[in-house]
């Protein structure tokens, strides 16, 4: 599947770029100002903090798993996720330090983060589902109605199916988040004042519906 068709993005969304390098640069910045820092997670987790905002910007303010965007969803809907869960590491100081390294951290919506919290991602799935490289965009796709689906290559893979279900990627809310992204893009690029006003009204109604729904609304 072409990266240009990344299911997390509409044509209006900037693509992730040099994520690993940007994360390395942010980690160096943190260590230069706080040389005693051992667990980077503790420096970027607090919403509204300087490092949290910089970390969010690396991911364009969008969930690395489902593509939901801050601004269309409230700030409280996002947090920093451990890609490999903390349970994957020894319950020791060294283990917590390893789990909290910048390379293992991902910007995520709460729904995706909490859904995958107990999933143990082991090789080769740590590479197959890697969000920073964009590999995950080869595993999932959008169908014609904007629902997230598993690509044909991975249809029979039990672990991918579990990941898909645990993160609720097939739910109606994921579709509405994507529709919101498309409408936001159209709104920002529309030049005609009347049509722009109409798009704004439609987007407002969609977001109102989205915020009234629970993650339990799933595809039938």
């Amino acid at each position: 599947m072409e990266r240009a068709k990344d299911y997390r993005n509409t044509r209006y969304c900037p693509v992730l770029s040099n994520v690993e390098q940007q994360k390395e640069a942010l980690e160096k910045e943190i260590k230069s100002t706080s040389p005693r820092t051992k667990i980077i997670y503790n420096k970027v987790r607090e919403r509204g903090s300087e490092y949290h905002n910089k970390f969010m910007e690396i991911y364009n303010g969008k969930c690395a798993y489902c593509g939901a965007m801050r601004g269309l969803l409230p700030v409280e809907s996002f947090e920093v996720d451990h890609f490999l869960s903390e349970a994957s590491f020894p319950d020791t100081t060294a283990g917590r330090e390893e789990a909290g390294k910048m390379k293992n951290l991902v910007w995520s919506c709460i729904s995706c983060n909490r859904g995958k919290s107990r999933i143990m991602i082991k090789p080769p799935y740590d590479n197959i589902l890697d969000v920073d490289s964009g590999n995950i965009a080869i595993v999932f796709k959008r169908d014609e109605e904007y629902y997230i689906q598993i690509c044909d290559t991975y249809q029979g893979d039990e672990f991918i199916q579990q990941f898909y279900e645990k993160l609720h990627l097939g739910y109606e809310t994921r579709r509405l988040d994507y529709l919101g992204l498309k409408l936001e893009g159209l709104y920002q690029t529309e030049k005609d004042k009347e049509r722009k006003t109409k798009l704004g009204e439609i987007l407002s109604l969609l977001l109102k519906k989205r915020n009234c729904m629970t993650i339990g609304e799933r595809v039938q």
Side-chain angles (χ1 to χ4, degrees), residues 21-208:
Q21 293 89 331
Q22 290 189 71
K23 287 167 71 173
E24 288 176 5
L26 180 55
E27 182 168 9
K28 288 180 180 178
E29 179 183 343
I30 292 171
K31 288 184 175 179
S32 68
T33 56
S34 304
R36 294 185 178 181
T37 297
K38 299 294 184 183
I39 303 177
I40 297 297
Y41 174 72
N42 293 336
K43 285 292 185 180
V44 299
R45 64 180 297 186
E46 185 177 351
R47 292 192 187 99
S49 68
E50 175 187 4
Y51 295 132
H52 182 86
N53 290 337
K54 288 184 176 181
F55 186 78
M56 174 197 68
E57 290 170 3
I58 292 173
Y59 289 92
N60 298 325
K62 297 173 79 268
C63 174
Y65 301 110
C66 71
M69 186 173 75
R70 179 185 174 183
L72 295 182
L73 294 182
V75 63
E76 297 82 11
S77 298
F78 296 88
E79 57 194 4
V80 178
D81 167 54
H82 294 85
F83 178 67
L84 300 181
S85 68
E86 291 179 285
S88 302
F89 298 86
D91 187 17
T92 62
T93 299
R96 287 187 287 274
E97 289 179 9
E98 190 66 24
K101 285 186 175 180
M102 183 68 78
K103 65 180 181 181
N104 190 45
L105 305 180
V106 171
W107 175 258
S108 171
C109 70
I110 286 179
S111 175
C112 284
N113 188 14
R114 304 298 168 83
K116 67 174 281 291
S117 62
R118 294 296 179 182
I119 298 179
M120 303 291 280
I121 302 177
K122 299 179 180 179
Y125 296 103
D126 55 342
N127 180 55
I128 291 172
L129 294 168
D130 185 70
V131 295
D132 290 352
S133 67
N135 286 351
I136 195 171
I138 301 174
V139 180
F140 303 110
K141 63 181 179 180
R142 294 275 173 181
D143 65 18
E144 293 181 354
E145 296 184 342
Y146 305 139
Y147 289 108
I148 300 175
Q149 303 288 358
I150 301 174
C151 291
D152 294 345
T153 304
Y154 295 97
Q155 278 291 335
D157 191 303
E158 292 184 5
F159 184 82
I160 295 298
Q161 184 66 43
Q162 178 191 26
F163 186 90
Y164 177 82
E165 292 175 355
K166 291 291 186 182
L167 273 69
H168 315 296
L169 294 180
Y171 282 22
E172 177 74 12
T173 45
R174 307 305 192 194
R175 176 178 182 246
L176 292 182
D177 290 339
Y178 188 78
L179 287 171
L181 276 175
K182 288 184 72 71
L183 283 171
E184 172 69 13
L186 285 169
Y187 176 82
Q188 293 298 337
T189 56
E190 181 58 62
K191 303 300 183 184
D192 183 271
K193 290 184 178 180
E194 185 175 343
R195 285 187 294 184
K196 191 179 185 75
T197 298
K198 189 63 177 178
L199 283 169
E201 292 173 354
I202 295 172
L203 179 59
S204 179
L205 288 172
L206 184 143
L207 294 178
K208 183 177 180 180

